[in-house]
Amino acid sequence: MYRVKALNHYRYDTALSNVAAGYVTLILVARSTASENISWKPLLSLNKMLRIKEHLQKVASPHARINVKPPKAEMVEVHFKVKFREMPGMDKELYKKQLKQTINEYLSPWAYENSEVNFSANIEFSSIIQLIDNQSYVDYLTDFKIAQYQLDENNSIIGNAIQNLNKITPQTDFTLFIPTDSHVIEEI
């Protein structure tokens, strides 16, 4: 177990309204290293979540209804054109790979060593642009766009991209952004 987010008076399993007195929903995040994390989802096994729920029900008030759930996954795809600084011996493909890694570490810090888990935090486009522009090998970037997708349990995209004008907004209170290699980086 790496981190838990408690949502008081929150019912996870209803479409009408998530607000429900007496319900406590716990979102559990497993800790794993990037080398172990094949699907980039910080999930605990169903058995472990059930054992945690059973233990908490034993020690909690009899009036509390406890739900234990995994976080909801969303994917953010960054599209832009970049001009790299001219340097002797530069490898533009290596720079693209490094940019993807840097973007993923920024959007999904939970997936990398020694980092925090941030649920439902908005991310301004300008902060991502600044992150990219501050790399020593980047001269400038243009045509910046972002596509945000909700994912199902199998990391498959659900529906169309979510379009936002100036920030990435998680769709739930228990969303984690997962890293992706599908960022589109075109060289100018």
Side-chain angles (χ1 to χ4, degrees):
M1 176 77 60
Y2 174 58
R3 184 134 180 213
V4 176
K5 178 170 185 169
L7 301 169
N8 295 322
H9 306 295
Y10 191 93
R11 188 170 176 178
Y12 186 95
D13 56 356
T14 181
L16 297 175
S17 173
N18 292 332
V19 178
Y23 280 83
V24 177
T25 298
L26 301 174
I27 307 300
L28 306 178
V29 179
R31 179 65 170 160
S32 60
T33 63
S35 61
E36 295 172 345
N37 214 340
I38 296 168
S39 68
W40 293 111
K41 290 185 80 174
L43 301 179
L44 292 170
S45 69
L46 181 58
N47 183 39
K48 184 166 250 172
M49 287 193 298
L50 288 173
R51 287 190 327 202
I52 290 169
K53 180 179 179 176
E54 288 170 0
H55 172 72
L56 291 173
Q57 285 176 329
K58 289 178 190 173
V59 296
S61 164
H63 304 291
R65 295 184 192 121
I66 297 173
N67 290 317
V68 177
K69 299 291 182 182
K72 192 82 167 142
E74 291 184 23
M75 181 179 72
V76 174
E77 228 176 43
V78 180
H79 302 255
F80 61 95
K81 294 179 182 174
V82 64
K83 173 72 173 157
F84 295 113
R85 294 186 197 280
E86 294 294 328
M87 292 185 259
M90 65 186 284
D91 183 351
K92 294 177 183 178
E93 290 304 312
L94 177 63
Y95 290 159
K96 286 182 185 179
K97 187 176 180 181
Q98 285 179 336
L99 275 178
K100 287 181 183 181
Q101 177 77 11
T102 300
I103 293 166
N104 281 338
E105 287 177 10
Y106 184 74
L107 295 174
S108 312
W110 59 266
Y112 299 91
E113 302 289 330
N114 301 320
S115 54
E116 287 297 311
V117 176
N118 293 322
F119 288 96
S120 65
N122 292 329
I123 301 172
E124 300 290 332
F125 286 8
S126 60
S127 66
I128 300 171
I129 293 170
Q130 182 179 10
L131 174 78
I132 296 165
D133 199 39
N134 285 343
Q135 302 306 305
S136 62
Y137 48 87
V138 172
D139 193 6
Y140 63 89
L141 65 136
T142 63
D143 300 338
F144 186 83
K145 295 179 223 148
I146 289 198
Q148 179 180 348
Y149 301 97
Q150 289 186 311
L151 304 176
D152 64 12
E153 302 81 35
N154 301 317
N155 280 0
S156 299
I157 294 172
I158 302 170
N160 297 324
I162 301 162
Q163 299 298 325
N164 294 320
L165 298 176
N166 58 2
K167 64 184 169 185
I168 303 166
T169 305
Q171 300 303 298
T172 68
D173 293 330
F174 45 91
T175 291
L176 286 180
F177 296 119
I178 63 166
T180 180
D181 286 329
S182 63
H183 300 300
V184 180
I185 302 173
E186 296 178 36
E187 184 190 342
I188 298 176

